[in-house]
Amino acid sequence: MSGNMTTHATGTYKLWKKLSGTAPGRGLFSVGFCLKAPYFRTVLPRVRAAEPGRAVVRIGDWWGVRNHIGTYHVIAALNGAEAAMGMLCESTVPTTHRWLPRGMRADYPTKSTGGLTVTATADFPDFSTITPETGGQLVTLDISLIDDAGNEPVHAEIDVWVSAKKR
């Protein structure tokens, strides 16, 4: 990754760095995160970690994320995956660039009855190579969703289009 993350960090990432040192600060940040992207409130994500290249979000287990057979609903899990994706991109992509989700692939090999810890990781390109003249670049994020029993009931990949902002 290139670029000075201090001077080119998004407001979201700067706020995370300011508030993440304490449990109440992380809680306050997570509430604000849901206000910025209101649909995330359906799974009540709690941001646990965020840094360039990695973000961790916790989505709890409650009746609102259960399906008709009593297990974690896969769409709720994927909403948590999208929250982790957003936090990863806000922590990694500098303000000179923008990011947009382009697609998602998911596999859900087993049922889960517990809360999920969602970890998003990616190897981002050297942002200086992505210019208005070169267009953008597709980056695939790996999203691991681990339940309270240590199983991975859902695994996802989210494609994100990264492009330079016009000067």
Side-chain angles (χ1 to χ4, degrees):
M1 279 177 281
S2 73
N4 183 331
M5 286 307 295
T6 303
T7 58
H8 295 295
T10 65
T12 303
Y13 186 55
K14 286 179 184 176
L15 187 59
W16 168 254
K17 295 295 285 179
K18 183 177 181 177
L19 296 176
S20 65
T22 66
R26 289 187 298 274
L28 181 62
F29 178 86
S30 294
V31 168
F33 188 58
C34 287
L35 291 174
K36 185 172 182 179
Y39 188 70
F40 291 158
R41 288 183 294 197
T42 64
V43 294
L44 304 172
R46 294 178 309 280
V47 179
R48 295 291 192 229
E51 60 194 23
R54 181 175 173 271
V56 179
V57 172
R58 173 77 181 164
I59 52 176
D61 181 25
W62 59 289
W63 68 267
V65 296
R66 298 272 181 148
N67 59 25
H68 65 288
I69 60 172
T71 62
Y72 214 99
H73 195 288
V74 70
I75 299 304
L78 294 175
N79 193 8
E82 207 169 49
M85 173 272 305
M87 196 62 225
L88 171 61
C89 290
E90 285 293 305
S91 302
T92 307
V93 177
T95 57
T96 55
H97 290 70
R98 67 179 146 253
W99 58 272
L100 291 169
R102 289 276 295 263
M104 178 188 292
R105 290 167 300 287
D107 184 35
Y108 29 102
T110 189
K111 295 184 263 184
S112 176
T113 57
L116 298 171
T117 299
V118 185
T119 304
T121 58
D123 291 321
F124 281 84
D126 178 347
F127 292 105
S128 68
T129 64
I130 302 173
T131 65
E133 296 76 34
T134 62
Q137 185 169 339
L138 196 65
V139 178
T140 299
L141 284 61
D142 185 68
I143 316 288
S144 172
L145 296 96
I146 306 296
D147 69 12
D148 292 340
N151 300 313
E152 186 177 28
V154 180
H155 190 91
E157 293 180 333
I158 300 177
D159 294 326
V160 176
W161 183 253
V162 179
S163 60
K165 291 180 180 175
K166 293 187 179 11
R167 297 178 191 134

